[in-house]
Amino acid sequence: MYLSVLLAATPSSEPVGSLEEAAEHAGNAAGWVEENWSTWLSTGLRILLIVAVAITLRYLIRRALTNLIDRMNRSAQAVEGTALGGLLVNAERRRQRSEAIGSVLRSVASFMILGTAALMVLGAFKINLAPLLASAGVAGVALGFGARNLVTDFLSGVFMILEDQYGVGDTIDAGVASGEVIEVGLRVTKLRGDNGEIWYVRNGEVKRIGNLSQGWSTAGVDVTVRPTENLAEIREAIITAAEAMAKEEPWSERLWGPVEVLGLDAVLLDSMTVRVTAKTMPGKAVGVERELRWRIKQALDDAGIRMIGATPVEGDGESTADPTAAMAAPSAYASATSPQSLAATPIPPSTTRISK
């Protein structure tokens, strides 16, 4: 009984051991934290500094690019108010081109800045970047081979926009299709054809581009008359019609130079061709040619000068008919002694009898 009471009164050693272990662990943890808190603090501050610098730099660069694009648009609007500004500058085309360039530059700047910041953050955590960069390089090469057409279209679109090869409102001949440009993208260009159809042309497929809306166009008209007409009267009639046309709207704006009579382009036995040209506003050459033909035809009719086409023209006097035109060619069968007649003559039956 006394032994049980003594055993109950004696304190157990297990709680004492547990407290000592807990105190030891706590001391070790406190020491580990005390040893590494400076490293954590420096790493955290470094990461915060990297992120802050990356965000600030990205904001400043994007803001600078946006201001540059806005300045380009304002300069285009200022030029548009001048005499030739409306003819040489398309505000919508300039706006879309500048927006596309700004979008590409902003995307490239963001990718480079954020990508560099991400690699620096990983480096701050003591992560080995060599396998990651190697894997990214292999993935990039595989993606380049698999999507080479997409990459080609994208790069071609970037250079087309940067070089201003064409824009919205231009009439172009892209080889695979032709028409008016209604949208310019980094991968696809949209064209509206002559019949209203819309062509989607990949930028990588365009090998040559003929822009019919840049600079100026040339309107050419061929006037075909009889070779007996007076050349001085023809020149005077054409110049008079052209001067009257140049003084009327809207042809006064579409004609960028005087109508020139270049001279005789061809002289044949039954006709001669006079070449007439004029420098016009880009894309307006066809309309100027039609109006110029109309006025030249009226002027020549008023002057009594007759225009002819590709078919030969009958003379003014009565033509002498060929008396042999209605006669048939002589036949070889007309003569009874000709070889053809003798060959066609039937052989008479034989009258001799064969004796037995």
Side-chain angles (χ1 to χ4, degrees):
M1 179 177 181
Y2 293 104
L3 181 58
S4 61
V5 173
L6 290 174
L7 292 174
T10 302
S12 176
S13 60
E14 293 181 0
V16 176
S18 299
L19 292 175
E20 291 178 354
E21 291 178 359
E24 183 179 359
H25 289 311
N28 294 335
W32 184 77
V33 171
E34 184 179 359
E35 292 176 358
N36 296 287
W37 74 271
S38 59
T39 304
W40 293 350
L41 181 61
S42 62
T43 302
L45 292 177
R46 185 180 178 183
I47 292 174
L48 290 178
L49 181 61
I50 292 173
V51 173
V53 171
I55 293 176
T56 304
L57 186 61
R58 178 176 178 270
Y59 172 77
L60 293 177
I61 292 179
R62 291 176 65 91
R63 182 68 178 272
L65 292 175
T66 302
N67 293 335
L68 179 61
I69 298 303
D70 293 340
R71 185 178 301 176
M72 292 173 58
N73 292 332
R74 287 195 299 267
S75 63
Q77 293 175 0
V79 176
E80 189 178 5
T82 61
L84 295 178
L87 302 177
L88 300 178
V89 177
N90 188 328
E92 179 64 19
R93 167 185 175 177
R94 189 69 176 266
R95 186 190 65 81
Q96 288 197 10
R97 177 172 175 263
S98 60
E99 290 295 335
I101 295 175
S103 176
V104 172
L105 294 179
R106 284 191 292 265
S107 299
V108 171
S110 298
F111 177 77
M112 293 181 63
I113 293 173
L114 296 180
T116 304
L119 293 178
M120 293 178 67
V121 169
L122 294 177
F125 284 113
K126 307 299 182 181
I127 298 176
N128 189 9
L129 299 179
L132 180 62
L133 294 178
S135 301
V138 173
V141 171
L143 182 62
F145 278 107
R148 58 184 181 274
N149 291 333
L150 181 62
V151 175
T152 302
D153 297 340
F154 180 81
L155 294 178
S156 300
V158 170
F159 283 107
M160 286 179 183
I161 294 174
L162 291 177
E163 296 173 0
D164 194 18
Q165 297 179 6
Y166 55 83
V168 176
D170 288 351
T171 301
I172 67 172
D173 181 4
V176 294
S178 61
E180 182 181 355
V181 180
I182 60 177
E183 184 178 345
V184 179
L186 294 177
R187 193 183 68 86
V188 174
T189 297
K190 292 183 182 180
L191 303 177
R192 184 173 295 278
D194 297 334
N195 297 326
E197 68 276 9
I198 296 179
W199 297 97
Y200 294 84
V201 181
R202 288 172 43 199
N203 296 329
E205 294 181 348
V206 178
K207 304 303 180 183
R208 63 170 180 83
I209 298 175
N211 196 326
L212 307 179
S213 301
Q214 287 184 350
W216 45 268
S217 300
T218 301
V221 175
D222 291 333
V223 182
T224 305
V225 296
R226 294 179 299 182
T228 57
E229 299 292 345
N230 191 340
L231 292 177
E233 295 180 357
I234 296 174
R235 180 187 294 272
E236 182 179 357
I238 293 175
I239 292 177
T240 302
E243 291 178 350
M245 177 181 173
K247 296 178 181 178
E248 299 179 4
E249 295 291 339
W251 312 112
S252 59
E253 295 181 358
R254 298 181 181 180
L255 285 172
W256 283 13
V259 178
E260 299 180 359
V261 181
L262 300 182
L264 288 175
D265 191 62
V267 179
L268 304 176
L269 293 177
D270 55 354
S271 65
M272 61 181 179
T273 303
V274 180
R275 183 69 174 175
V276 182
T277 62
K279 186 179 292 185
T280 68
M281 182 188 303
K284 303 297 181 181
V286 177
V288 172
E289 289 176 356
R290 293 171 179 172
E291 183 67 19
L292 196 57
R293 289 192 189 97
W294 184 286
R295 292 175 180 266
I296 290 176
K297 177 64 169 61
Q298 290 182 339
L300 294 180
D301 290 344
D302 295 338
I305 301 173
R306 182 178 179 182
M307 294 181 63
I308 62 176
T311 57
V313 181
E314 297 180 358
D316 294 336
E318 295 181 358
S319 59
T320 303
D322 187 2
T324 62
M327 297 177 59
S331 176
Y333 297 96
S335 177
T337 59
S338 64
Q340 289 81 359
S341 298
L342 295 177
T345 302
I347 300 175
S350 177
T351 56
T352 59
R353 295 181 179 179
I354 299 175
S355 59
K356 296 182 180 179

